[in-house]
Amino acid sequence: MTDPYRDVGIDYEVLDAAKRLAIGAARATSSQLAQHGGQAMDESRGEPAFVFSLGDDKFAFVLECLGTKSVLARQYQKATETNHFQAIGVDSVAAVVNDLCCVGALPLVVGAYFATGHPTWYADQGRFASLVEGWRAACEASGATWGGGESPSLPGLISEEDVEIAGSAVGRVPHGMDPILGQDLLPGNEIVLVASTGLHTNGASLVRKLGDELPDGLQTRLPSGATLGSAALEASALYAGVVRALLGESIPVTYLSHVTGHGLRKLMRPVRELTYRLTALPPVPELFTFMAESLGMSDYDAYGTFNMGAGYAVYCAAGSGEDVVTIARREGFDALVAGVVEEGPRSVVIDPLDITYSSESLSLR
């Protein structure tokens, strides 16, 4: 597989190896929870969120960063005087909360991290006010309290023009339920793909690469008339409402996957010898078609890199897929029963495009 990220200094093979090393070191600390009356659920290590128990309660914790989308927003604001930092606030919370919900935990508290290269970043009060408003609105939409955060100034580490944004969250698995870690995933389960709103938080570095190369930069017009920059800066989808409804209505969900880095390869995130076969795909937002064509990416590369219109995958018992679709649509998202889990080697097979991603193409733990 061609990796377009390597051209912009991002090597997932190296990053994933580092993650595996860190997971091993973290696992060695699991016994520390016992002194607090708790227990680490080590089977959750490598999932989007870490799960642990305290008494009868099961909690999940996650920390996630926005990536370079804030740089993209700053560049587009400079070029067009258009402020997209409210969407950046939503993006940041979505990156955290969507991961948290993957293990069947609903968000309780979200923490914020805004790091700048110089305090003058805050001088544009409208920009920071927009960021804060987006963060607040996303927390409320997710049913979470914004609990606080940290805002260091890091000259020499971060550009004076930019802000690095990250966040953390704690959530709780509803009483009487087990965390969703793929333990009930079986052949015959249906795969529902819930629509994305576009780029989300994966691919901003490649948008910036195109912005540097195209004559009109981030103001390049897409076929619809939208600019490359405005399309890329659409706010991410928040899927907490969908997951809350699925759990509340006792839909037999067996796994949840947030489709971010690694694209639809993320459908085989469970460490199981199962094949994930897609027989239908959602419409592809024009941004991805434009980026793939401009970057010379094949379908294999594009679907293994971007979400391509599928922001969240819900795996459920046979016959439950249409119920998931109904709930997703009620929560404001298009969705479709896109495939099925089969016996076979760990892989993702996309029938409409004759694409297969083998197990070796996704190694997160």
Side-chain angles (χ1 to χ4, degrees):
M1 176 174 176
T2 304
D3 188 353
Y5 277 112
R6 288 182 178 171
D7 293 338
V8 292
I10 300 171
D11 189 329
Y12 272 118
E13 186 174 337
V14 173
L15 293 172
D16 290 345
K19 290 177 183 178
R20 294 193 297 271
L21 178 64
I23 287 171
R27 190 186 300 271
T29 70
S30 291
S31 62
Q32 298 299 310
L33 270 171
Q35 64 185 309
H36 305 289
Q39 182 177 358
M41 299 189 69
D42 280 335
E43 61 269 36
S44 70
R45 294 194 183 277
E47 294 292 341
F50 170 67
V51 183
F52 62 98
S53 64
L54 286 173
D56 294 330
D57 288 316
K58 300 180 182 70
F59 297 93
F61 173 78
V62 66
L63 187 149
E64 186 56 80
C65 72
L66 173 70
T68 65
K69 202 171 182 181
S70 61
V71 180
L72 181 61
R74 187 260 300 167
Q75 291 176 334
Y76 194 66
Q77 183 178 23
K78 183 177 180 179
T80 66
E81 298 185 353
T82 305
N83 182 349
H84 282 267
F85 275 86
Q86 182 166 341
I88 290 296
V90 175
D91 288 323
S92 306
V93 174
V96 175
V97 167
N98 291 341
D99 271 6
L100 185 76
C101 290
C102 281
V103 297
L106 300 177
L108 297 173
V109 179
V110 174
Y113 176 84
F114 308 141
T116 57
H118 193 278
T120 54
W121 188 90
Y122 296 100
D124 184 339
Q125 295 183 1
R127 177 172 60 185
F128 184 58
S130 294
L131 173 62
V132 167
E133 173 57 23
W135 193 287
R136 180 204 61 78
C139 286
E140 289 188 350
S142 301
T145 294
W146 181 358
E150 173 70 356
S151 54
S153 181
L154 304 173
L157 183 61
I158 297 175
S159 162
E160 292 187 6
E161 294 183 295
D162 289 309
V163 59
E164 180 191 24
I165 304 174
S168 60
V170 174
R172 186 176 67 181
V173 177
H175 285 298
M177 294 185 178
D178 292 324
I180 299 171
L181 302 174
Q183 68 273 23
D184 297 321
L185 195 62
L186 294 171
N189 283 180
E190 295 175 333
I191 304 170
V192 176
L193 296 181
V194 185
S196 71
T197 53
L199 194 69
H200 289 187
T201 56
N202 176 51
S205 294
L206 294 175
V207 175
R208 292 190 295 116
K209 172 181 167 64
L210 284 178
D212 290 339
E213 294 176 349
L214 294 170
D216 292 328
L218 295 176
Q219 297 180 70
T220 300
R221 294 288 175 180
L222 304 184
S224 67
T227 65
L228 172 63
S230 64
L233 288 165
E234 285 289 331
S236 300
L238 291 157
Y239 298 108
V242 174
V243 175
R244 181 176 288 105
L246 291 172
L247 299 180
E249 297 186 28
S250 300
I251 302 297
V253 175
T254 57
Y255 197 72
L256 295 161
S257 184
H258 186 196
V259 182
T260 52
H262 305 89
L264 269 67
R265 288 180 285 164
K266 276 282 178 69
L267 297 185
M268 59 173 163
R269 185 164 193 156
V271 184
R272 301 282 302 278
E273 283 300 312
L274 294 168
T275 297
Y276 306 91
R277 183 177 299 277
L278 298 182
T279 55
L281 294 168
V284 179
E286 65 171 349
L287 173 65
F288 294 127
T289 301
F290 178 85
M291 290 181 67
E293 292 176 351
S294 300
L295 293 166
M297 298 171 69
S298 65
D299 284 342
Y300 182 90
D301 292 335
Y303 276 85
T305 301
F306 305 124
N307 69 60
M308 299 302 281
Y312 221 65
V314 180
Y315 307 65
C316 57
S320 300
E322 289 299 338
D323 293 332
V324 175
V325 170
T326 297
I327 288 172
R329 288 177 176 167
R330 192 177 69 210
E331 294 294 324
F333 296 97
D334 285 335
L336 78 161
V337 181
V340 66
V341 180
E342 299 178 343
E343 293 182 358
R346 179 172 171 265
S347 59
V348 176
V349 180
I350 306 178
D351 281 344
L353 301 174
D354 194 25
I355 288 173
T356 297
Y357 299 108
S358 64
S359 178
E360 293 74 21
S361 70
L362 185 74
S363 181
L364 300 178
R365 50 188 162 179

